[in-house]
Amino acid sequence: MRLLDMVDSLVDLVIPDDPKAVLGMTKDLITLRNAADHQLAVCAGVIDASGMARKAGSTTVKLLQANGAAPASAYRWLRIGSGLSDLDRTAGYSRDGFLSSEHVDAVVKGVAHVVDRSQDPMTDVDRVGAERKLLSHAISGAPPAAIGAAARALGNEVARDTGGPPPAEDRSLNSVDYAVSDGRLVGKFDVDAVIGEKLFSALDFWSRARPEPDGSDDARTPTQRRADALHQLLDCGGGGQTLVSAPRTEVMVTVPADHPEASSLPWMGPVTEATAAALACDSSITSITLGGQQVPIDISPPKRLFTGLVRKAIIIRDACCVKCGAHATWSDCHHIKHFVDGGATTLENGCLLCRTCHMAVHNTDWDVIMGDDGHPWLIPPADVDPLRKPLPAYNRRTLTLAA
């Protein structure tokens, strides 16, 4: 029987009206899916061992993706196909469709984790014992995350018994995972004590609460403050940033001249025109002219908008973020009237805004104007102050009635 004949049978499958019958059919389909995933994992392992992808200048995962596999599935099949050769019991449950590929993958990764945590070469007996313990969790219905947790606990025991480093100091456990979802970067990390201490130390100062422009308590949650601090640390690009330099960590934003609403970032994809404007405020601009076939035919040299001299003059005048008081080192030079709208890159048209406040000015109803006194003033949104009374820059603001 051709495998595609099974697809035809599934296409013509009639779902019964009886809920109990539907549940039984669902169980059978899950078993079929699990068994198919196992065979796909075996195929992935054979393809990888054959070197077919390498000979074609590619990888097994990319080859699987080119044939219709999702990236996560391709990686999972390859891990299972490569890891099941020494896990006979797990392979049997996988082959019969009893366990999902996600559960099998958790067992495979779990056993590999336990083996790696041992300072001494692990014997076959010990490895089989680890497999049995993790497999029992999978058979009992524990989710893959619980199997991973059990593997880490078992790995801790093995490391302790063999003289390995404690979990807090084991660098082999370090991991950082992230993915783009709905235009946002979502991730998680698990790092050792040293990296954790460095992270706490780096985020501590810039994640502290700071007063709002009207002197009230910081409205941000601790989680939001830490996110803002991370943003500022990324702009440092590893530290060493001087007061008049541009941020060390650079991003490229592409803004079509005739369609600024179609702006985009290389990694994260489309962004709003307001975000593109904020990124372009304190940047280097390169104009690229495209031909009819979207081929670049002319490229201008990059031009830094706020040069060191202008930035230094703005720092002398503003001293810090004009909205919240964040240090000048962490602040962008903001065009009060955007250069796209004819605003000049001058002392009179620039002010300091930290990255958080900069995005707030571009994306909310906060406004900045240049006062008759030669200093920037902030106009709060109506939901903050219904009268929208101008506020002086942070370095010139007091909490007296005279202010």
Side-chain angles (χ1 to χ4, degrees):
M1 181 184 69
R2 294 172 58 251
L3 288 176
L4 292 182
D5 290 340
M6 299 177 63
V7 177
D8 295 336
S9 300
L10 289 175
V11 170
D12 297 332
L13 188 66
V14 178
I15 307 300
D17 294 330
D18 181 21
K20 291 185 178 180
V22 173
L23 181 59
M25 179 179 289
T26 300
K27 183 178 180 181
D28 292 342
L29 288 171
I30 292 174
T31 302
L32 181 62
R33 182 256 192 189
N34 294 343
D37 271 345
H38 171 80
Q39 299 300 340
L40 284 166
V42 173
C43 291
V46 172
I47 292 173
D48 189 63
S50 71
M52 179 190 304
R54 290 188 293 275
K55 294 176 183 177
S58 183
T59 65
T60 301
V61 169
K62 290 183 178 179
L63 188 60
L64 293 172
Q65 292 180 50
N67 284 274
S73 298
Y75 281 108
R76 185 169 61 246
W77 293 335
L78 184 57
R79 281 195 302 269
I80 294 173
S82 302
L84 277 184
S85 57
D86 295 328
L87 305 177
D88 295 337
R89 291 172 177 77
T90 305
Y93 284 106
S94 176
R95 181 181 57 251
D96 296 341
F98 183 80
L99 292 177
S100 71
S101 62
E102 290 82 4
H103 284 86
V104 174
D105 186 38
V107 174
V108 170
K109 290 190 297 184
V111 173
H113 170 82
V114 174
V115 171
D116 290 341
R117 294 294 304 282
S118 177
Q119 287 294 101
D120 302 326
M122 182 169 280
T123 65
D124 290 341
V125 174
D126 291 337
R127 182 180 47 75
V128 170
E131 178 192 6
R132 283 178 173 174
K133 290 180 180 178
L134 298 181
L135 189 57
S136 65
H137 283 77
I139 295 173
S140 67
I147 299 173
R152 288 191 295 273
L154 188 57
N156 292 342
E157 295 178 9
V158 170
R160 184 184 64 246
D161 295 341
T162 60
E169 300 174 16
D170 193 342
R171 296 180 60 85
S172 68
L173 301 179
N174 292 350
S175 64
V176 177
D177 300 297
Y178 51 80
V180 178
S181 176
D182 295 329
R184 297 184 62 83
L185 187 65
V186 181
K188 61 181 180 179
F189 62 87
D190 184 352
V191 296
D192 62 78
V194 174
I195 296 179
E197 185 66 18
K198 290 181 178 180
L199 182 63
F200 275 120
S201 298
L203 294 180
D204 176 63
F205 180 78
W206 294 107
S207 60
R208 295 175 186 174
R210 63 186 181 222
E212 294 295 311
D214 60 357
S216 60
D217 292 339
D218 196 332
R220 299 173 301 164
T221 65
T223 299
Q224 292 169 330
R225 297 203 304 266
R226 287 192 292 271
D228 290 342
L230 177 61
H231 186 182
Q232 292 169 332
L233 285 174
L234 291 175
D235 272 334
C236 270
Q241 182 182 1
T242 64
L243 287 176
V244 296
S245 70
R248 290 289 186 89
T249 302
E250 297 182 350
V251 298
M252 183 178 72
V253 56
T254 302
V255 184
D258 52 348
H259 292 289
E261 72 281 357
S263 303
S264 64
L265 299 170
W267 290 98
M268 299 299 295
V271 293
T272 63
E273 188 174 349
T275 295
L279 292 173
C281 252
D282 197 1
S283 64
S284 295
I285 301 295
T286 299
S287 299
I288 302 176
T289 303
L290 303 180
Q293 300 300 320
Q294 299 299 298
V295 177
I297 59 177
D298 184 52
I299 301 177
S300 70
K303 177 184 178 182
R304 183 75 203 174
L305 294 184
F306 282 103
T307 62
L309 292 176
V310 177
R311 182 185 295 271
K312 183 178 293 186
I314 292 175
I315 290 172
I316 292 173
R317 185 197 63 201
D318 295 347
C320 58
C321 171
V322 299
K323 183 173 180 288
C324 73
H327 198 280
T329 306
W330 303 91
S331 299
D332 296 326
C333 286
H334 164 69
H335 282 83
I336 295 175
K337 180 179 181 182
H338 203 270
F339 68 91
V340 173
D341 300 322
T345 305
T346 61
L347 172 65
E348 295 76 17
N349 192 45
C351 69
L352 290 180
L353 286 172
C354 74
R355 280 89 212 201
T356 302
C357 294
H358 196 182
M359 297 304 294
V361 168
H362 277 277
N363 289 282
T364 67
D365 291 331
W366 279 94
D367 290 323
V368 182
I369 61 173
M370 186 59 67
D372 295 336
D373 57 358
H375 289 271
W377 288 68
L378 291 129
I379 301 178
D383 58 351
V384 174
D385 179 6
L387 299 179
R388 304 202 73 187
K389 179 183 177 181
L391 297 169
Y394 191 93
N395 65 316
R396 305 179 69 242
R397 190 182 309 152
T398 67
L399 297 182
T400 67
L401 292 177

